[in-house]
Amino acid sequence: MVIEEENYCKEYTGFEMMLVSACRQIRHDDVVFNAFHWPFLVVHMAKLLRFPNLFTVMEVGLSQNEVPKPDKMPYSIVDPVLVPNSVFVGDSIDALSILQRGEITLAFLSTSIIDKYGNGNTTVIGPYKKPIYRLPGGGGATEIAGLANRLIWLLDDHSKYRFVEKLDFITDPGYLNGYDSRIKAGYPLNSGPEAIITPLCIMRFDPFTKEAYLDALHPNATIEQVKEETGWNLKIADEVRDIKPPTMREIEICRKTMKDAIDQYYILKPEWTKYLEK
Amino acid sequence: MVIEEENYCKEYTGFEMMLVSACRQIRHDDVVFNAFHWPFLVVHMAKLLRFPNLFTVMEVGLSQNEVPKPDKMPYSIVDPVLVPNSVFVGDSIDALSILQRGEITLAFLSTSIIDKYGNGNTTVIGPYKKPIYRLPGGGGATEIAGLANRLIWLLDDHSKYRFVEKLDFITDPGYLNGYDSRIKAGYPLNSGPEAIITPLCIMRFDPFTKEAYLDALHPNATIEQVKEETGWNLKIADEVRDIKPPTMREIEICRKTMKDAIDQYYILKPEWTKYLEK
Amino acid sequence: MSTDKISTMREAIKKFVHNNELVFLGGFGNGIAFSAAHEIIRQDLKSLTVCKCGGGILFDQLIGAGVVDQIITSHCWNPHGPQPAWNLKRAMEEGIPNNLIYNEQSLFMINMSFYAGYMGVPFMPIRSIVGTDIFDNPKEVGLKAAKVECPFTGEEICVVPAINPDVGIIQVQRADIEGNAQMWGLIGDTKFGINACKRIIVAAEEIVDKAVIMESPERTIVSSNKVDAVVHEPWGGHPGYMQGYYYTDLEYRFNYAKETKEIRDWNKWLEKWITGVNDRQEYLNILGEDKLRKLKAKNLIQGAVNYGY
Amino acid sequence: MSTDKISTMREAIKKFVHNNELVFLGGFGNGIAFSAAHEIIRQDLKSLTVCKCGGGILFDQLIGAGVVDQIITSHCWNPHGPQPAWNLKRAMEEGIPNNLIYNEQSLFMINMSFYAGYMGVPFMPIRSIVGTDIFDNPKEVGLKAAKVECPFTGEEICVVPAINPDVGIIQVQRADIEGNAQMWGLIGDTKFGINACKRIIVAAEEIVDKAVIMESPERTIVSSNKVDAVVHEPWGGHPGYMQGYYYTDLEYRFNYAKETKEIRDWNKWLEKWITGVNDRQEYLNILGEDKLRKLKAKNLIQGAVNYGY
């Protein structure tokens, strides 16, 4: 995707950069699985920015390929405003069938904790039956991670508590134990994580070992910082690419999207989070 | 079903008697699989005669529980007049699911050739790949025979060419090789043929051997005649019951149904059949 | 077989839901069976196992009220995003109000298990979950997946077992008095889940003539032959939404997350909204007419086609 | 990904259907793909295998014209009832015009095979067909069923293999230019069959704006991401029916049975209705305006609901 050089934005957050950077990964002919949380915002931005007719599928059982024209931003991937803006509405199994036939070319996912092989955990910290910390559960992420051609992780908090050597529980399959273990388990050849995008950087996966390495830095982030915040001994590309900052247009759409999302409680205002964290 | 003694009909055909006799087997709370050919006519008659709200299911994927109010008789079980007279319309698998969950309490079926264990053949006479006579194929009869609680066969031609000791090909499972072979194959305990109704009689099945025997005679038919027209050594009940003739009301509904069916080419006029038989 | 099955929610739950049973609750966003769950809590049922593709605050309330021993679902979030709901956390981490088994399934695993139940077969094959702890883990808690070799391709493939709940309850847009129930908009797991159940309660925003059902019979998700009770329960899906009837009460949901973070606040919430009211009407009285007016859906009447022949 | 895929039937068949392929044809009563089959015959394709839950006179014509080597279906009747169609009989009993393999499936077996193809899994379990010759017989001709042991219940159960046709063609009520295709009334095997296909041709009675599609998105049976060509083909399902558009031509169907009983009559029929015309429009010209007027469906516009929020 070509970015107009002259119009870069100066002030933006790492979170905004993550969304913009994710958005740039989409190709015009992608069939995108549109998952809850940050993935939904990225796809929303992509439709407004570049691909109004992007074909997208949601796990509850609907497909869209028009820019959304609702009077309100969906509060969730099950919002009723989506229905009369869809070209197909069925049930969850209809959505699964598209994934399972291998027709989803791209999916974004968020997860709570990730390991170096791109596996995700949204289930539990500690033992399964007596958890230290119970996470909410994975929903459809297991099969989205398993069956989409290209999977891109979005982790909004790049810290060593979220990027760990080994998970207590694999909810979402990345490259499992690395190397050919994913293929051996039975997942499609043309599937698996392509990247992890964080506020600091983009990681990609070694084609042989399937271990994540630092591929490109977001502006203002440093290699040292990324290594420091990653909970395993992160490998670094021979030549780490620099990622361009958001353009004015990208950041405008990004902020509009976030504002609409806040109005619908899709994103919480920062002052609310104090009520909700423990 | 109590028949009003005073109103019996005097003149009627064996075919009409078969339809009327079949109709009398239906209970008010049956969930009936409504199959093509004569079964459809029997169910139609039952709705007009006794059970306007009979719950019926058709293999193409629809359910009805109102007396049909179309301006024309359906030409087939896929007629579009059925759709806005149905309480459910889905696909064929929706209909299968009802059968497979064991919720169909009663089904009627026609078949080309039947054996003494109530198996049907609508596939082939002679070798499968090089038939002497190719029959049309069984459609959904295989699973209707396999999965309905009570199955009642309707054979419009009681002759030894249609009632044989052993079939060239089992399309529709009755009691297979008799005794417990049907249960051993895996079919539900509460399933299997209950009766065979012909222009001459009603046969039922021995609870142990599962062989069909003569249970009741239609008026004017004799035990000798039935034995003569049956291609195996037919066993006879200790006490063969006599079946009452059609009432005036039954025959009126029967003839109205057949007339409507002829108008829609569902039944052919006798003079047409010469074009169509070989 | 024309029967009037109209009942109150209280009678329907009393008659058809029993202690220790496996209960399916319908709704994936659209038509979440909140009113039914509240009545289950009021009747103080015990040791239920509840199943549903996404548990959310519906399951969180059942957990907090102590009526369930086990949940079978793919997630149980607070409204504001993928964070565990508070009663779920308390039960799992502290055993409050009781120890809970969270039989975590992936979304499609539970959907295919309902589908197997719907189809009357013992299992369904799926290509996901292999190699994850979702595949193995539920073994300690009940349901489990397995692998079989495909006799046609020779490949190994996962299979998931059928779920056939003892009883299921759905909140739909409309039904007739015999139980032909119609739902439109998003269905999620509701059609297959409810048809897999042995007993069925239908709660509907509106009770309509059968003639209305027959105007678009494709919208029927369960038909009268399977239904035991029909409850006329307007707003029964609040604070979730019902397409064509009302929108999600986002403010109420946000407040739920705030007001249930601490156990004593949860106890107050429980009394105010569930145990302190007698039925849905009293709940709606507390909610207030202004709120209902605000949530009520605008008209967008469409989707007619020619059924002529 | 907004693309105009509009094509003529001739172009679509030429581009997307090839000799020796496995072809799915849609329609169980409603929307039988007659026009597509006729164009396949005109282009004189060879050695096709065709699949469809009920073959009927559609398959009979393909057989008689010599374009198919194998049919996969559950029956192949003449219009007047469960009697084998004449070309089927000639091919099977006398090898005219060529030897034919009739891969007979039960209705639900073929439906579940399409469903497996739709779901992207190699098989589906079913409870019927055990103990019948349907279970074993297709082994000599290609597709076959098998048994597996259920790892949960220990029982043995039949499984049927996935069917994923090379190309599928459906006749639907309406579609947009990108291929979002809608069908209402009876669907039979059409939704799962067509979505199991690798290439897809949609023939529609009407081409509509995408806005019309989005008015009732539940009526979409295949969406644009999978469709290769869209053909505007009014009356493409004659002599079958299309709900809301036209009724079955019972007289024509009856005459078909009369006029194809003898081989020389069939050859005349073939030339008159298929090889002697260039396209569907010429076919309709022979049929005549009076006939079309008589078959045209009356209006019964219904099924609108509130999609508001």
Side-chain angles (χ1 to χ4, degrees):
Chain A
M1 179 167 164
V2 180
I3 312 296
E4 306 81 355
E5 294 277 346
E6 61 273 29
N7 273 320
Y8 292 123
C9 179
K10 298 281 187 299
E11 303 222 4
Y12 52 90
T13 67
F15 181 73
E16 289 167 338
M17 186 69 240
M18 177 188 78
L19 295 180
V20 166
S21 207
C23 206
R24 292 176 185 165
Q25 311 299 315
I26 301 174
R27 300 167 191 159
H28 80 282
D29 57 354
D30 271 324
V31 175
V32 180
F33 208 92
N34 193 358
F36 189 67
H37 210 217
W38 312 143
F40 180 83
L41 300 184
V42 169
V43 169
H44 192 83
M45 284 167 56
K47 287 194 175 197
L48 296 175
L49 263 170
R50 295 281 315 249
F51 307 125
N53 298 310
L54 191 67
F55 197 94
T56 61
V57 176
M58 294 187 192
E59 65 189 26
V60 69
L62 65 83
S63 303
Q64 304 190 291
N65 71 342
E66 288 278 283
V67 94
K69 286 187 270 312
D71 44 359
K72 25 186 162 191
M73 169 96 169
Y75 79 90
S76 142
I77 54 158
V78 295
D79 194 306
V81 305
L82 296 165
V83 172
N85 284 290
S86 294
V87 292
F88 171 78
V89 167
D91 55 50
S92 290
I93 292 179
D94 288 315
L96 167 64
S97 76
I98 301 173
L99 256 175
Q100 210 165 231
R101 289 195 306 264
E103 292 168 7
I104 296 294
T105 65
L106 175 63
F108 297 97
L109 280 178
S110 303
T111 190
S112 306
I113 308 171
I114 197 166
D115 72 14
K116 65 179 176 181
Y117 294 123
N119 304 300
N121 175 10
T122 51
T123 297
V124 74
I125 294 169
Y128 183 80
K129 287 176 84 171
K130 258 293 163 207
I132 299 165
Y133 195 89
R134 176 67 215 194
L135 301 166
T142 303
E143 24 281 319
I144 298 169
L147 302 172
N149 297 167
R150 298 158 57 212
L151 170 67
I152 296 178
W153 287 111
L154 303 179
L155 275 281
D156 61 4
D157 173 17
H158 196 144
S159 74
K160 56 186 152 194
Y161 307 103
R162 310 268 314 262
F163 287 75
V164 304
E165 176 86 24
K166 194 166 166 46
L167 300 175
D168 284 1
F169 189 102
I170 297 180
T171 316
D172 319 312
Y175 291 109
L176 300 178
N177 300 313
Y179 302 91
D180 60 354
S181 59
R182 180 185 167 96
I183 299 305
K184 274 195 174 155
Y187 289 106
L189 276 172
N190 65 339
S191 74
E194 176 175 278
I196 305 169
I197 303 183
T198 81
L200 301 180
C201 68
I202 299 181
M203 298 181 186
R204 294 187 186 268
F205 292 85
D206 182 89
F208 179 66
T209 67
K210 305 295 187 188
E211 187 176 322
Y213 64 88
L214 174 63
D215 177 66
L217 281 171
H218 284 147
N220 308 320
T222 65
I223 292 177
E224 291 64 36
Q225 184 188 11
V226 170
K227 277 184 79 81
E228 177 64 26
E229 298 290 3
T230 301
W232 69 84
N233 185 13
L234 181 69
K235 296 197 171 63
I236 313 296
D238 292 344
E239 202 164 340
V240 175
R241 293 181 305 109
D242 285 328
I243 296 163
K244 303 284 189 205
T247 65
M248 296 307 286
R249 172 93 182 125
E250 283 172 328
I251 210 72
E252 179 198 330
I253 294 294
C254 179
R255 287 175 186 167
K256 166 92 172 67
T257 297
M258 290 202 296
K259 184 189 165 307
D260 290 348
I262 286 172
D263 287 348
Q264 284 288 78
Y265 296 77
Y266 194 105
I267 299 181
L268 296 185
K269 292 181 194 170
E271 62 267 32
W272 291 341
T273 58
K274 67 173 177 211
Y275 299 117
L276 299 170
E277 273 168 24
K278 207 157 191 171
Chain B
M1 182 167 166
V2 179
I3 310 298
E4 305 82 354
E5 295 277 345
E6 62 273 30
N7 274 319
Y8 292 123
C9 181
K10 298 279 187 300
E11 303 224 3
Y12 52 89
T13 66
F15 181 72
E16 288 167 337
M17 186 70 241
M18 176 189 79
L19 295 180
V20 166
S21 207
C23 205
R24 292 175 185 167
Q25 311 300 315
I26 302 175
R27 301 166 191 158
H28 80 282
D29 58 354
D30 271 325
V31 175
V32 181
F33 209 92
N34 194 357
F36 190 68
H37 210 219
W38 311 143
F40 180 84
L41 300 184
V42 170
V43 170
H44 192 83
M45 284 167 55
K47 287 193 175 201
L48 296 175
L49 263 171
R50 295 279 316 249
F51 307 125
N53 298 309
L54 192 68
F55 197 94
T56 60
V57 176
M58 294 186 192
E59 66 188 26
V60 68
L62 64 84
S63 302
Q64 304 190 293
N65 71 342
E66 289 278 282
V67 93
K69 287 187 273 305
D71 43 358
K72 24 187 162 189
M73 169 96 169
Y75 78 90
S76 143
I77 54 159
V78 296
D79 194 304
V81 305
L82 297 166
V83 173
N85 285 290
S86 295
V87 292
F88 171 78
V89 167
D91 54 52
S92 291
I93 292 179
D94 288 315
L96 167 64
S97 75
I98 301 173
L99 257 176
Q100 209 165 231
R101 288 194 308 265
E103 292 168 6
I104 296 294
T105 65
L106 175 62
F108 297 97
L109 281 177
S110 302
T111 191
S112 306
I113 307 170
I114 197 165
D115 72 13
K116 65 180 176 180
Y117 294 123
N119 303 300
N121 176 10
T122 51
T123 298
V124 73
I125 294 169
Y128 183 81
K129 287 176 84 170
K130 259 291 164 210
I132 298 164
Y133 194 89
R134 175 68 216 193
L135 300 167
T142 303
E143 24 280 319
I144 298 168
L147 302 171
N149 297 169
R150 298 158 57 213
L151 170 68
I152 296 178
W153 286 112
L154 304 179
L155 275 281
D156 60 5
D157 174 18
H158 197 144
S159 73
K160 55 186 153 196
Y161 307 103
R162 309 272 309 265
F163 287 74
V164 304
E165 175 86 24
K166 194 164 165 46
L167 300 176
D168 285 0
F169 190 102
I170 298 182
T171 315
D172 319 313
Y175 291 108
L176 301 176
N177 299 313
Y179 302 92
D180 60 354
S181 59
R182 179 185 168 97
I183 300 305
K184 275 196 174 152
Y187 289 106
L189 276 171
N190 65 338
S191 74
E194 177 177 276
I196 305 169
I197 304 182
T198 80
L200 302 180
C201 69
I202 300 182
M203 298 180 187
R204 294 187 186 269
F205 293 85
D206 182 88
F208 179 67
T209 66
K210 304 297 185 187
E211 187 177 322
Y213 65 88
L214 174 63
D215 177 65
L217 281 172
H218 284 148
N220 309 320
T222 65
I223 292 178
E224 292 63 37
Q225 185 187 10
V226 170
K227 278 183 78 80
E228 175 65 27
E229 299 290 2
T230 301
W232 69 85
N233 185 12
L234 182 69
K235 296 197 171 61
I236 313 295
D238 291 343
E239 201 164 342
V240 173
R241 294 180 304 111
D242 284 327
I243 297 164
K244 302 283 188 207
T247 66
M248 296 306 287
R249 171 92 183 126
E250 283 173 329
I251 210 73
E252 178 197 329
I253 294 294
C254 180
R255 286 176 186 167
K256 165 93 173 69
T257 297
M258 289 201 297
K259 184 189 167 304
D260 289 348
I262 286 172
D263 287 348
Q264 284 287 80
Y265 296 78
Y266 194 105
I267 299 181
L268 296 185
K269 293 182 195 171
E271 62 266 32
W272 292 342
T273 58
K274 67 171 178 218
Y275 299 118
L276 298 170
E277 271 166 29
K278 209 156 189 171
Chain C
M1 208 175 60
S2 165
T3 327
D4 182 344
K5 297 171 187 161
I6 293 288
S7 166
T8 62
M9 187 63 87
R10 188 179 302 157
E11 292 160 358
I13 300 292
K14 201 168 177 58
K15 192 159 172 197
F16 296 111
V17 189
H18 315 120
N19 291 340
N20 306 303
E21 289 192 332
L22 174 58
V23 182
F24 170 75
L25 293 160
F28 191 173
N30 192 22
I32 300 176
F34 275 103
S35 177
H38 288 190
E39 184 57 32
I40 285 173
I41 292 171
R42 275 194 292 274
Q43 296 193 15
D44 203 24
L45 285 157
K46 287 297 172 203
S47 304
L48 299 179
T49 297
V50 288
C51 58
K52 181 179 190 307
C53 69
I57 66 172
L58 181 83
F59 276 17
D60 195 57
Q61 293 170 19
L62 291 164
I63 294 165
V67 302
V68 297
D69 281 357
Q70 182 175 171
I71 61 172
I72 305 176
T73 189
S74 78
H75 55 72
C76 192
W77 292 352
N78 255 330
H80 59 287
Q83 304 288 340
W86 301 121
N87 286 315
L88 171 75
K89 271 180 78 68
R90 272 189 290 271
M92 294 300 296
E93 296 169 12
E94 305 168 58
I96 298 172
N98 56 308
N99 287 315
L100 179 73
I101 292 172
Y102 185 166
N103 191 333
E104 185 176 333
Q105 310 275 306
S106 78
L107 179 73
F108 291 133
M109 191 182 176
I110 191 166
N111 267 282
M112 293 314 288
S113 285
F114 288 144
Y115 190 78
Y118 172 76
M119 286 303 297
V121 291
F123 63 81
M124 276 286 149
I126 64 174
R127 289 200 181 276
S128 52
I129 80 176
V130 286
T132 71
D133 289 308
I134 294 282
F135 176 82
D136 276 317
N137 194 75
K139 278 180 189 163
E140 4 175 341
V141 294
L143 284 176
K144 52 189 177 295
K147 290 182 196 173
V148 302
E149 188 183 306
C150 173
F152 308 114
T153 63
E155 71 192 297
E156 261 205 334
I157 189 159
C158 283
V159 292
V160 295
I163 298 181
N164 286 102
D166 297 301
V167 57
I169 315 171
I170 52 175
Q171 178 79 30
V172 301
Q173 278 103 338
R174 65 192 186 194
D176 65 22
I177 59 171
E178 296 175 42
N180 294 300
Q182 298 197 321
M183 195 171 187
W184 57 91
L186 300 175
I187 306 289
D189 60 338
T190 308
K191 177 182 166 186
F192 300 128
I194 196 64
N195 280 284
C197 295
K198 293 167 197 158
R199 299 187 292 279
I200 292 174
I201 300 171
V202 168
E205 300 294 327
E206 288 190 82
I207 304 298
V208 297
D209 277 353
K210 198 187 282 181
V212 174
I213 299 293
M214 295 197 292
E215 278 176 18
S216 51
E218 301 101 328
R219 303 194 193 278
T220 302
I221 63 162
V222 62
S223 51
S224 59
N225 60 315
K226 288 186 63 81
V227 172
D228 296 288
V230 179
V231 180
H232 183 211
E233 197 79 334
W235 296 91
H238 178 275
Y241 74 88
M242 185 61 87
Q243 191 102 35
Y245 289 79
Y246 44 88
Y247 191 65
T248 309
D249 192 343
L250 296 170
E251 187 187 35
Y252 180 103
R253 281 162 38 101
F254 171 68
N255 288 338
Y256 178 83
K258 271 204 311 191
E259 292 165 7
T260 60
K261 184 177 164 194
E262 303 301 334
I263 178 85
R264 65 161 196 274
D265 291 338
W266 155 250
N267 286 329
K268 274 188 236 157
W269 195 98
L270 175 64
E271 195 192 335
K272 176 177 179 189
W273 292 105
I274 304 183
T275 56
V277 300
N278 273 304
D279 56 21
R280 197 61 173 177
Q281 188 52 56
E282 289 191 15
Y283 172 101
L284 296 176
N285 292 345
I286 302 178
L287 207 57
E289 288 201 11
D290 281 357
K291 174 52 77 80
L292 298 185
R293 203 173 306 118
K294 207 177 133 204
L295 294 175
K296 196 166 157 41
K298 285 167 199 64
N299 275 348
L300 182 63
I301 313 284
Q302 61 189 31
V305 294
N306 191 359
Y307 284 87
Y309 42 86
Chain D
M1 205 174 61
S2 166
T3 327
D4 182 343
K5 297 170 187 162
I6 294 288
S7 167
T8 62
M9 186 63 87
R10 186 180 304 160
E11 292 161 357
I13 300 291
K14 198 165 179 61
K15 193 158 172 196
F16 296 110
V17 188
H18 314 120
N19 291 340
N20 306 303
E21 288 191 331
L22 173 58
V23 182
F24 171 75
L25 292 161
F28 191 174
N30 191 23
I32 300 176
F34 275 103
S35 177
H38 288 190
E39 184 57 33
I40 285 172
I41 292 171
R42 273 193 293 273
Q43 295 194 15
D44 202 23
L45 284 156
K46 287 296 172 204
S47 304
L48 300 180
T49 297
V50 288
C51 56
K52 181 177 190 310
C53 68
I57 65 172
L58 182 84
F59 277 16
D60 195 58
Q61 292 170 19
L62 291 163
I63 294 165
V67 302
V68 297
D69 281 358
Q70 183 175 170
I71 61 172
I72 305 175
T73 190
S74 78
H75 54 72
C76 192
W77 292 352
N78 255 331
H80 59 287
Q83 303 288 341
W86 300 123
N87 286 315
L88 171 76
K89 272 180 76 67
R90 273 189 288 269
M92 293 300 297
E93 296 169 12
E94 304 169 57
I96 298 172
N98 55 307
N99 286 317
L100 178 73
I101 292 171
Y102 185 167
N103 190 334
E104 185 177 333
Q105 310 276 306
S106 78
L107 179 72
F108 291 132
M109 191 182 175
I110 190 167
N111 266 280
M112 293 313 288
S113 285
F114 289 144
Y115 190 79
Y118 173 75
M119 286 304 296
V121 291
F123 63 82
M124 276 287 150
I126 65 174
R127 290 200 179 277
S128 52
I129 79 178
V130 286
T132 71
D133 289 309
I134 294 283
F135 176 84
D136 276 317
N137 194 77
K139 280 180 189 163
E140 6 175 338
V141 294
L143 283 176
K144 53 188 177 295
K147 289 182 196 173
V148 301
E149 189 184 305
C150 173
F152 309 114
T153 63
E155 71 193 295
E156 261 205 335
I157 189 161
C158 282
V159 292
V160 295
I163 299 181
N164 285 102
D166 297 302
V167 57
I169 314 171
I170 52 175
Q171 179 79 29
V172 300
Q173 278 102 338
R174 65 191 186 193
D176 66 20
I177 59 171
E178 296 175 42
N180 294 301
Q182 298 197 321
M183 193 170 188
W184 57 90
L186 301 175
I187 305 290
D189 60 337
T190 308
K191 177 182 166 186
F192 300 129
I194 196 65
N195 279 284
C197 295
K198 294 168 196 157
R199 298 187 294 277
I200 293 173
I201 300 170
V202 168
E205 300 293 326
E206 287 190 80
I207 304 298
V208 297
D209 278 352
K210 197 187 283 182
V212 174
I213 300 294
M214 295 198 292
E215 278 176 18
S216 52
E218 301 100 328
R219 303 194 193 279
T220 302
I221 63 163
V222 61
S223 50
S224 58
N225 60 314
K226 287 186 65 81
V227 172
D228 295 290
V230 179
V231 180
H232 183 211
E233 197 78 334
W235 296 89
H238 178 275
Y241 75 90
M242 183 63 83
Q243 191 101 37
Y245 290 79
Y246 44 89
Y247 192 65
T248 309
D249 192 343
L250 296 170
E251 186 188 36
Y252 180 103
R253 281 162 39 102
F254 170 70
N255 288 337
Y256 178 83
K258 273 205 309 193
E259 292 165 8
T260 60
K261 184 177 163 192
E262 303 301 334
I263 178 84
R264 65 161 195 275
D265 291 338
W266 155 249
N267 286 330
K268 274 188 235 155
W269 195 99
L270 176 63
E271 194 192 337
K272 176 175 178 190
W273 292 105
I274 305 182
T275 55
V277 301
N278 272 305
D279 56 23
R280 197 62 172 175
Q281 189 51 56
E282 288 190 16
Y283 173 100
L284 296 177
N285 292 346
I286 301 178
L287 207 55
E289 288 200 13
D290 280 357
K291 174 54 79 78
L292 298 186
R293 204 173 306 118
K294 207 176 132 206
L295 294 174
K296 195 165 157 40
K298 283 167 199 64
N299 275 348
L300 182 62
I301 312 285
Q302 61 190 32
V305 293
N306 191 358
Y307 284 87
Y309 43 85

